[in-house]
Amino acid sequence: MSTLFFNKSKEIASEFIQSILFVDDEIYGNHEGNQHALDSQALVKAFAKAKKLCALNNPKTVDEFNDVIHVALKSDITILDWKLNLEQSENADEDNDEDDVPERDPRGAYTMQLIEKLIAEDRNELKLILIYTGETGLQSIVEEVFDKFERRGIQRISENLLGNASCRIRIAGKPSLEGTFAHTPELNTWILRYEDIPDYILTEFTRMTSGLVSNVALKAISCIRSNVNKILKIYNKDLDPAFLAHRAMLPVPEDAAELLKDSIIDSFDSIIDYSQLEKHCDFDTISKWLKASVIHDDTIMFGKKGLSIQDPLRHSWLLKGFTASMREAWTTAYPNEEIPKKIETMQRDLHKSDVIKFFKPTNSSAANIDEQFSILTHHKSNYSNPSYVPRLSLGSVVKGRISNEYWLCIQQKCDSVRINEDSRRFLFIPLDRVDGEGNFHIVVSDIDAAHSFTKLKINIGTSHNLKTIRFKANKEGAVFAVKKGRSKRFSFYPIYHNTKQKYSERYDWILDLKDSHAQRIANKYAATLSRVGLDEYEWLRRWGGN
């Protein structure tokens, strides 16, 4: 897979990858005649040459291994031995639940436990794991890992590679296995020399991330990482008196925290802005991506004649836009015929057609790409962490548990905090479900069904569509969602909620819109309230464009 685009992707991935963790109980053991031993000096030299941080960890007890798990969760790449001989702690049976204690067999039990932590669904992270072992039964290890994690969506990618969109698990043999596969010579290709490991894992990681969008994201993260010390130097402890003086002078002291938070966010934004990320998705880069991709040709019909969308026209389309490229293509294909008017008007409706099929590689199995990319552009809650508790404010989208109706909160942020009274009314406008080809403004991922999406249209209409719901504030002066009973969802409970009476509606938190999107909707609604309605001469009204 050595293409110009892949090589460029590899450079970006290399800049991103910083830490590689080795977990092996024989890192510092005797190497002579020991096929499980790991040559620590050879590893350190190999990764130093690749300019990467290589962390070697050789746990000897279960307690030490549990500490390693937390380290592995922070590493970019994790490399594990299959056989880990660990001593049980004396109170292991007392401190751990029976289901959490791995089997005493050192082959695979602890490695499986660590892999399970790394690819846990609630983490939702990109992970590359290499099982690097001196065991001769490499194929049986592949089967055992597959059987264990198939329920997690792990699939067979190749003979010694398992994974899915967010995780890859590669099985490889240590150099000590050379000469042991006389009857299965195909396994010799699974053996990995120490000096080859850095480029091997970099190539594998790049296969997971090589893309226009992912490359820009990796580059952005790398820029932030490389400027961490600069940010810490700028936001230093000497500024504390200035921050406190600012807080002391404010009519509402709590607002000082918002200024500091916004300032730090703006610093991140500036770092990314000055790094010129756009050059990593410019037309030159796009051309390399197209040359590296195999895309089926397709046809756009204009009446009874059509234009075949092949790579040259794809390039032109992405460079000049639809109308200009199609006019040129039509003139070339049909030099003596007038350019169809549909070419001029089709641009307007292209967003509703299946444009993605003209740019989707044949080896891509990704579905609902339009919906997924839309969610990235207007959902703020994509980046919430497991400890986040939703707070009701401008941009919160909720769904009635009984009515199944969606609502968007348009209460301004300043009116959603510092609630001194016991409760406060919040403003909501309805969001209508859209089926078929109707217009919509918000895409919601269905929690209960994978790859299922709900499309919602903002129903601004008239002022009578507005709904107010009173919620009780907590001691922090804001309205937070809660989980009750066995529910896995956060819900907002109105102050008059009572399951024993007729009204027992509660509102499940669905998502938070990005601030700019939510503010635009609120402004649009406010504009409808300020319009003036009057009777006038119809002839004059029509000439006025009303």
Side-chain angles (χ1 to χ4, degrees):
M1 191 186 290
S2 182
T3 65
L4 291 175
F5 183 78
F6 187 81
N7 291 338
K8 182 63 179 178
S9 300
K10 201 171 178 180
E11 292 176 13
I12 295 173
S14 179
E15 186 178 351
F16 168 81
I17 296 174
Q18 293 185 350
S19 60
I20 296 90
L21 173 67
F22 277 84
V23 182
D24 197 313
D25 62 328
E26 298 198 49
I27 290 178
Y28 305 110
N30 182 12
H31 299 105
E32 290 189 16
N34 185 355
Q35 68 183 32
H36 297 285
L38 201 63
D39 191 337
S40 57
Q41 291 186 349
L43 283 173
V44 171
K45 288 181 180 179
F47 280 97
K49 187 175 182 180
K51 301 177 178 61
K52 303 297 178 190
L53 176 62
C54 173
L56 306 177
N57 201 303
N58 62 328
K60 295 300 182 182
T61 67
V62 173
D63 288 340
E64 291 178 356
F65 177 77
N66 291 333
D67 293 335
V68 170
I69 291 177
H70 296 285
V71 178
L73 294 174
K74 298 178 181 179
S75 65
D76 295 326
I77 310 291
T78 306
I79 301 178
L80 310 170
D81 191 10
W82 182 249
K83 182 181 179 181
L84 295 173
N85 286 295
L86 304 180
E87 296 178 4
Q88 296 290 332
S89 57
E90 294 180 1
N91 58 349
D93 294 332
E94 299 177 4
D95 294 341
N96 298 289
D97 294 332
E98 184 177 348
D99 294 338
D100 294 334
V101 178
E103 299 176 11
R104 298 297 186 259
D105 185 355
R107 289 177 173 82
Y110 295 101
T111 301
M112 291 284 208
Q113 182 184 359
L114 182 47
I115 292 175
E116 190 158 16
K117 294 287 186 182
L118 291 173
I119 66 174
E121 294 178 4
D122 59 348
R123 294 189 59 81
N124 193 27
E125 296 177 356
L126 197 69
K127 282 296 180 183
L128 173 60
I129 302 166
L130 176 65
I131 297 177
Y132 195 45
T133 180
E135 295 287 319
T136 56
L138 299 179
Q139 293 166 315
S140 63
I141 293 175
V142 174
E143 295 304 318
E144 194 169 340
V145 175
F146 178 72
D147 291 342
K148 173 74 174 179
F149 298 111
E150 183 181 11
R151 58 185 176 85
R152 292 281 186 87
I154 295 297
Q155 301 175 344
R156 300 178 189 271
I157 299 176
S158 67
E159 289 183 345
N160 65 331
L161 178 62
L162 306 171
N164 53 32
S166 60
C167 166
R168 290 205 173 190
I169 305 170
R170 174 77 73 170
I171 292 83
K174 293 179 179 178
S176 56
L177 292 180
E178 290 183 356
T180 62
F181 297 124
H183 300 291
T184 52
E186 65 275 8
L187 294 182
N188 288 320
T189 59
W190 295 27
I191 298 174
L192 190 58
R193 298 182 302 174
Y194 297 126
E195 59 268 29
D196 294 333
I197 294 178
D199 187 70
Y200 185 86
I201 60 177
L202 173 59
T203 300
E204 200 60 62
F205 187 84
T206 306
R207 289 195 177 104
M208 298 173 67
T209 62
S210 180
L212 290 168
V213 175
S214 51
N215 279 354
V216 174
L218 279 179
K219 186 67 178 180
I221 296 170
S222 299
C223 289
I224 296 296
R225 278 182 170 182
S226 62
N227 283 276
V228 165
N229 290 328
K230 183 184 293 184
I231 293 173
L232 293 176
K233 182 180 179 180
I234 294 173
Y235 293 93
N236 59 75
K237 63 182 182 180
D238 293 338
L239 298 176
D240 292 355
F243 170 72
L244 295 177
H246 168 68
R247 179 186 172 105
M249 294 295 291
L250 289 177
V252 182
E254 290 297 328
D255 287 346
E258 290 296 320
L259 174 67
L260 183 57
K261 181 185 72 173
D262 291 341
S263 178
I264 295 173
I265 291 173
D266 289 341
S267 297
F268 291 153
D269 183 68
S270 298
I271 290 171
I272 293 175
D273 189 36
Y274 287 131
S275 66
Q276 298 179 310
L277 289 182
E278 60 275 7
K279 70 181 182 181
H280 296 289
C281 57
D282 59 10
F283 184 72
D284 182 60
T285 307
I286 290 172
S287 296
K288 292 183 176 68
W289 183 90
L290 287 171
K291 290 177 182 178
S293 304
V294 178
I295 306 174
H296 281 314
D297 297 336
D298 213 312
T299 302
I300 295 181
M301 299 302 298
F302 300 94
K304 295 183 179 180
K305 295 184 178 179
L307 291 175
S308 178
I309 309 299
Q310 300 179 3
D311 284 344
L313 185 50
R314 250 186 291 269
H315 278 78
S316 178
W317 187 351
L318 290 168
L319 178 64
K320 302 176 182 178
F322 177 81
T323 302
S325 61
M326 290 300 165
R327 286 174 64 90
E328 290 182 3
W330 184 273
T331 302
T332 301
Y334 309 103
N336 299 321
E337 297 193 24
E338 184 179 353
I339 297 175
K341 292 183 179 179
K342 189 177 180 182
I343 288 180
E344 309 291 338
T345 60
M346 195 174 182
Q347 173 75 40
R348 181 184 59 198
D349 298 322
L350 272 176
H351 68 284
K352 293 183 179 179
S353 61
D354 191 14
V355 179
I356 279 182
K357 68 181 180 181
F358 299 113
F359 303 102
K360 188 174 181 180
T362 55
N363 62 350
S364 173
S365 59
N368 307 111
I369 304 175
D370 278 323
E371 289 82 357
Q372 292 180 44
F373 193 70
S374 297
I375 287 174
L376 283 180
T377 61
H378 69 279
H379 287 208
K380 181 168 65 174
S381 46
N382 293 326
Y383 311 101
S384 62
N385 55 55
S387 63
Y388 172 71
V389 179
R391 187 182 71 184
L392 192 58
S393 183
L394 175 66
S396 299
V397 175
V398 299
K399 180 183 179 184
R401 178 63 66 92
I402 297 176
S403 66
N404 283 326
E405 294 176 343
Y406 287 88
W407 297 89
L408 170 65
C409 179
I410 58 170
Q411 188 101 329
Q412 288 299 320
K413 289 182 176 293
C414 57
D415 293 327
S416 304
V417 294
R418 298 185 297 276
I419 301 175
N420 297 322
E421 61 270 28
D422 181 65
S423 63
R424 179 172 292 180
R425 290 186 178 275
F426 280 72
L427 304 175
F428 295 85
I429 57 175
L431 299 172
D432 297 335
R433 284 188 182 85
V434 176
D435 298 320
E437 299 297 322
N439 293 332
F440 57 90
H441 304 98
I442 300 173
V443 179
V444 177
S445 178
D446 195 330
I447 299 176
D448 299 320
H451 307 298
S452 179
F453 299 86
T454 299
K455 298 173 182 177
L456 304 173
K457 181 178 181 180
I458 302 164
N459 185 350
I460 291 180
T462 56
S463 58
H464 64 257
N465 285 331
L466 186 68
K467 182 174 184 175
T468 63
I469 309 174
R470 185 180 289 277
F471 294 92
K472 184 179 179 62
N474 69 352
K475 61 181 181 180
E476 297 179 21
V479 176
F480 287 89
V482 296
K483 289 182 179 179
K484 291 187 177 181
R486 298 181 179 179
S487 176
K488 295 182 179 180
R489 296 184 179 181
F490 280 106
S491 300
F492 296 101
Y493 289 81
I495 196 169
Y496 38 78
H497 173 82
N498 192 328
T499 56
K500 295 181 180 180
Q501 297 179 5
K502 181 178 180 181
Y503 189 87
S504 59
E505 181 69 296
R506 63 179 178 178
Y507 297 89
D508 292 336
W509 175 76
I510 303 299
L511 61 96
D512 291 327
L513 289 179
K514 290 184 177 180
D515 294 343
S516 55
H517 285 264
Q519 188 61 57
R520 181 177 65 177
I521 295 170
N523 290 348
K524 189 174 181 180
Y525 177 77
T528 64
L529 299 180
S530 62
R531 71 185 190 275
V532 178
L534 73 161
D535 289 332
E536 59 180 318
Y537 182 38
E538 187 65 13
W539 177 85
L540 179 61
R541 186 188 71 81
R542 289 180 180 240
W543 272 108
N546 298 320

